[in-house]
Amino acid sequence: MSKIRRVDAYLCDIEVERPRTDAIQAFLKQETIFVEIETEDAINGIGYSYTIGTGGRAVLQLLKQDLLHLLVGEDACQIEALWQKLFWATHATAVGAITSLALAAVDTALWDVRCKAARQPLWLLAGGAKKKVPLYDTEGGWLHLSTEELVQGAIESKKRGWPGVKLKIGKPYAEEDAERLQAVRQAIGSRMHLMVDANQSMTYPEAKRRARFLEEAGVFWFEEPLPAEDVSGHARLASSTSVPIAVGESIYSSSHFREYLATGAAGIIQVDAARIGGITPWLKVAHLAESFNVQVAPHFLMELHISLAAAVPNSLYVEHIPQLRAVTTREVQIEEGYALAPNEPGLGIAWDMQAIERTRVA
Ligand SMILES: [Mg+2]
């Protein structure tokens, strides 16, 4: 038993390291919602979730007004019980992004406590499937970049030994997307994975049309072609193209993933630990995907997802977008295109508490 003595939550704005744009939005700052949990046996857990610029204060208010007080006096190691208690306490606003992000900040803090209490790293305690996971790079593929910049970025990624790169698509004319893609494919050759991401910007007919040139370019996956709510549209698209359809970053419940998997609407699952409500549901979704013989390539949150991808056997890739350098004291360890799962007890993120304090806004 590890009785919870104190819980706190606050919001920090962490600047992006470079401008990030896609077909529907720009990512200008990471609103980071932190939750700190202290137990009576003096274990401190830190958890977090995020938004890409809006809604962070709503998440913080939900935590402070309705959720955190429910944790005090409870056993921090009973994570399933606490997750359910909080979920049902706020059920009238679930399933939804704000609620999932609030639950994730608590759940990741509880996992930090659990791992520290057990003196185990997250990747091991959560499953222990592998010690390292391959990375693909997204930082060189934003939609505002010129074709020359895309080519340069992809060549640099290849030189660093990374096995994959991702490009944003969704230019007004399909031909422009096709030209940019072909230029990158020519530059990197056929022995490197090339993914594309439309960020839910297309209709089914448009996605079907563009999937043809994605096939020609040997694209490894077609990410979020349609709005995430449109499971049947994704199912039709998946059956009309040989390019695997990847979804997950805009999905907030494991049941929604079940619909995708059961209907064959997704070939790759990109479950995001913050948006699904924490590590507890993340693992359930990864195991659910495994039962369908589908791999997981989690969205964003590289610093946390390395450990989770290392925990499960069906992980495929982790997405390289460094975002926590300004508030941590140690870089993610990368060797020949693989990220090494951190080995110290806890989530394995070396927070710089003074730097976090400097970025605090609420
Ligand atoms: Mg995406």
Side-chain angles (χ1 to χ4, degrees):
M1 171 124 180
S2 223
K3 203 170 178 182
I4 296 172
R5 179 164 58 193
R6 188 186 64 84
V7 190
D8 194 15
Y10 47 89
L11 180 70
C12 294
D13 280 349
I14 303 174
E15 298 299 316
V16 295
E17 294 192 5
R18 63 173 83 180
R20 297 169 181 150
T21 57
D22 59 47
I24 60 162
Q25 64 209 341
F27 179 3
L28 302 174
K29 64 176 180 184
Q30 177 177 293
E31 291 185 313
T32 311
I33 305 100
F34 285 100
V35 165
E36 288 188 27
I37 293 176
E38 185 187 311
T39 66
E40 287 189 352
D41 47 351
I43 296 172
N44 287 301
I46 299 183
Y48 71 112
S49 64
Y50 74 98
T51 83
I52 64 169
T54 54
R57 281 176 171 75
V59 178
L60 185 65
Q61 276 307 308
L62 181 62
L63 285 164
K64 287 191 158 185
Q65 295 291 323
D66 300 312
L67 298 180
L68 295 188
H69 68 93
L70 299 172
L71 295 166
V72 177
E74 298 281 3
D75 179 1
C77 292
Q78 277 194 263
I79 300 180
E80 284 280 4
L82 293 178
W83 199 98
Q84 292 293 330
K85 181 179 179 181
L86 267 49
F87 179 76
W88 287 101
T90 185
H91 195 259
T93 54
V95 169
I98 302 297
T99 305
S100 288
L101 294 170
L103 284 167
V106 171
D107 181 85
T108 48
L110 291 170
W111 271 90
D112 198 32
V113 169
R114 171 187 274 178
C115 292
K116 286 171 177 168
R119 299 178 197 278
Q120 297 259 348
L122 176 60
W123 77 271
L124 204 54
L125 198 64
K130 46 189 97 167
K131 292 182 176 174
K132 58 182 186 176
V133 289
L135 284 172
Y136 74 90
D137 191 37
T138 298
E139 283 286 68
W142 303 107
L143 197 65
H144 67 277
L145 298 176
S146 67
T147 304
E148 293 69 36
E149 288 169 319
L150 292 182
V151 166
Q152 206 48 48
I155 289 172
E156 276 168 32
S157 297
K158 189 171 186 182
K159 275 190 200 148
R160 283 187 215 158
W162 294 352
V165 286
K166 188 164 84 186
L167 305 187
K168 298 294 182 178
I169 61 168
K171 289 287 189 185
Y173 293 99
E175 291 69 20
E176 191 179 354
D177 278 341
E179 284 162 17
R180 289 157 64 86
L181 194 58
Q182 282 299 347
V184 171
R185 175 53 88 196
Q186 269 189 354
I188 60 175
S190 58
R191 301 292 173 88
M192 186 173 185
H193 288 150
L194 179 55
M195 302 77 155
V196 300
D197 186 357
N199 290 89
Q200 311 181 82
S201 62
M202 295 179 188
T203 60
Y204 165 71
E206 187 60 26
K208 187 182 173 189
R209 187 161 78 90
R210 297 198 192 201
R212 248 182 284 146
F213 70 72
L214 303 186
E215 287 177 5
E216 284 164 17
V219 161
F220 189 60
W221 75 55
F222 187 3
E223 178 172 328
E224 287 202 310
L226 313 175
E229 295 80 7
D230 187 5
V231 181
S232 63
H234 282 90
R236 281 197 292 166
L237 186 63
S239 63
S240 75
T241 177
S242 63
V243 182
I245 304 300
V247 297
E249 71 180 81
S250 308
I251 296 178
Y252 297 90
S253 84
S254 51
S255 299
H256 199 179
F257 277 107
R258 186 198 61 202
E259 293 303 314
Y260 269 97
L261 289 161
T263 57
I268 289 160
I269 289 297
Q270 299 180 296
V271 55
D272 176 316
R275 293 177 173 179
I276 196 63
I279 292 166
T280 303
W282 190 97
L283 290 168
K284 290 177 184 177
V285 171
H287 297 324
L288 176 71
E290 185 191 2
S291 75
F292 282 88
N293 193 27
V294 168
Q295 290 179 295
V296 295
H299 165 252
F300 190 50
L301 284 190
M302 163 179 95
E303 298 83 357
L304 177 62
H305 282 146
I306 289 166
S307 295
L308 294 182
V312 300
N314 56 324
S315 54
L316 173 63
Y317 263 120
V318 168
E319 180 171 25
H320 179 260
I321 307 181
Q323 179 55 34
L324 296 181
R325 277 200 275 239
V327 292
T328 49
T329 56
R330 191 189 57 230
E331 297 261 334
V332 163
Q333 270 189 284
I334 301 172
E335 280 179 11
E336 295 173 352
Y338 282 77
L340 310 187
N343 254 325
E344 72 268 24
L347 301 187
I349 301 172
W351 298 110
D352 179 342
M353 298 314 292
Q354 288 176 341
I356 286 175
E357 192 54 39
R358 283 196 296 275
T359 62
R360 185 168 171 167
V361 292

